[in-house]
Amino acid sequence: MGVNEDLIESAKKGDLEGVKNALENGADIYAQDENFLTALDWAKRKYRPEIIEFLKKRGAKEIPRPKKVAEGIFIQEVNGKYRILDNRGKAVSPDFDFIAGNFTEGLMAVEKDGKWGFINESGKLVIDAKYDEARDFHEGLAAVSWTDEGVKPAYGLVWIKTDDKHGYTSVNKVAIPQKKVKYVFETRAAVKLDGKWGFIDENGKMIIDAKYDEVRDFREGLAAVKLDGKWGAIDMNGKVKFHLKYNYDEIMNHIRCYTGWFTYY
């Protein structure tokens, strides 16, 4: 057994010296077993008052139950930090300041020291935490922002390229100058330029000029857009499919009927 297992087993048995030795040898006071129970939890269940008192003096506190976010993967908050656990209660990631809470396309945004990156479902940080903002992955791309040259905010898209033959993974990034990027849907990402919204493709090329006051993401080839207080809809190339003469609810109904996407927005 490892020191974490020693700690928990000693707490179960009421072996105070075993608890002390495990902690002295580097055991995590918040280590958990396959039932997501800590040494403190077991000491309370087995009514080991000496061990309870000792662990509390060492700073142990009751911690929330973990939240399941994927098969065999859990998130737990411990003293204001967040970690990923496997189904045996073992921590498989370092502690993060914040975890987005959901995997999309096998990746989840995490915050560490004020910067954002992405972990995979094994808890491994596969995109370094170096971005000021990060959105969820969609269609293999995520919108991010960072500080360019330490002064100006920069925006772009980030993705992972995996070479199965040679067994390596590389992180790729494209900058979208002066544009704030939203999520990617159907190979189009909404971007904001000089207060107006348009759309780029997955390579960062401007496909639909930034001229709208508000936009919604593409679904089934259509996106709702707003200009001068009126809503309409455009296709993937910017062609107007529904003229800008509706209120928001009206254009949503038109898009739902046209596309059959009844959960749209």
Side-chain angles (χ1 to χ4, degrees):
M1 290 193 301
V3 290
N4 288 335
E5 290 81 2
D6 288 340
L7 173 64
I8 293 170
E9 286 301 314
S10 296
K12 283 183 183 180
K13 297 174 181 177
D15 181 1
L16 180 58
E17 289 303 313
V19 168
K20 291 179 179 179
N21 289 335
L23 291 173
E24 288 173 1
N25 289 322
D28 179 357
I29 202 167
Y30 290 110
Q32 297 167 74
D33 62 12
E34 66 276 7
N35 298 306
F36 301 108
L37 297 174
T38 65
L40 181 60
D41 292 330
W42 277 113
K44 288 184 174 182
R45 287 192 173 203
K46 297 291 186 178
Y47 190 62
R48 313 294 190 193
E50 288 186 345
I51 293 177
I52 294 170
E53 182 181 3
F54 173 76
L55 289 172
K56 286 186 173 181
K57 285 182 178 179
R58 292 290 298 266
K61 300 176 182 178
E62 291 187 14
I63 55 178
R65 297 288 291 174
K67 172 189 173 183
K68 185 176 181 178
V69 292
E71 189 61 37
I73 300 293
F74 300 80
I75 294 176
Q76 188 169 53
E77 180 185 358
V78 180
N79 290 337
K81 299 289 185 179
Y82 298 82
R83 60 179 60 172
I84 301 293
L85 308 176
D86 63 16
N87 56 9
R88 296 168 296 171
K90 180 181 178 182
V92 294
S93 78
D95 288 349
F96 296 106
D97 298 329
F98 192 76
I99 293 178
N102 291 293
F103 284 98
T104 58
E105 301 184 7
L107 297 168
M108 181 164 54
V110 295
E111 183 185 16
K112 190 171 181 63
D113 300 327
K115 296 291 184 178
W116 288 86
F118 292 87
I119 60 173
N120 62 17
E121 291 181 346
S122 297
K124 180 182 179 183
L125 193 66
V126 293
I127 296 180
D128 289 340
K130 59 182 179 181
Y131 299 103
D132 298 329
E133 297 175 277
R135 294 178 178 267
D136 291 339
F137 268 82
H138 290 279
E139 300 175 19
L141 297 167
V144 295
S145 71
W146 62 95
T147 303
D148 193 14
E149 299 175 354
V151 180
K152 298 180 293 184
Y155 301 93
L157 301 171
V158 64
W159 67 96
I160 292 179
K161 181 179 179 181
T162 302
D163 186 325
D164 293 327
K165 181 178 179 180
H166 298 98
Y168 72 86
T169 299
S170 61
V171 177
N172 300 267
K173 179 176 72 176
V174 59
I176 316 298
Q178 304 300 315
K179 302 178 183 71
K180 185 172 184 178
V181 188
K182 291 178 70 178
Y183 296 101
V184 179
F185 283 96
E186 299 184 7
T187 72
R188 296 289 184 267
V191 294
K192 191 175 186 180
L193 176 62
D194 297 329
K196 296 289 186 177
W197 288 92
F199 290 88
I200 58 172
D201 66 13
E202 67 269 32
N203 297 311
K205 181 181 178 182
M206 198 71 166
I207 301 298
I208 299 169
D209 291 338
K211 60 182 179 182
Y212 296 106
D213 299 327
E214 292 184 50
V215 297
R216 296 294 184 267
D217 297 313
F218 275 93
R219 288 289 194 278
E220 301 295 325
L222 289 184
V225 294
K226 182 182 180 182
L227 185 63
D228 297 330
K230 295 295 184 179
W231 286 89
I234 58 174
D235 67 13
M236 300 281 285
N237 296 310
K239 182 180 178 180
V240 175
K241 302 296 289 185
F242 291 97
H243 291 290
L244 287 94
K245 61 179 183 179
Y246 303 100
N247 64 35
Y248 183 77
D249 290 337
E250 289 171 338
I251 194 60
M252 289 300 102
N253 286 333
H254 281 301
I255 292 175
R256 291 185 185 105
C257 291
Y258 187 87
T259 64
W261 189 274
F262 290 100
T263 59
Y264 189 39
Y265 310 130

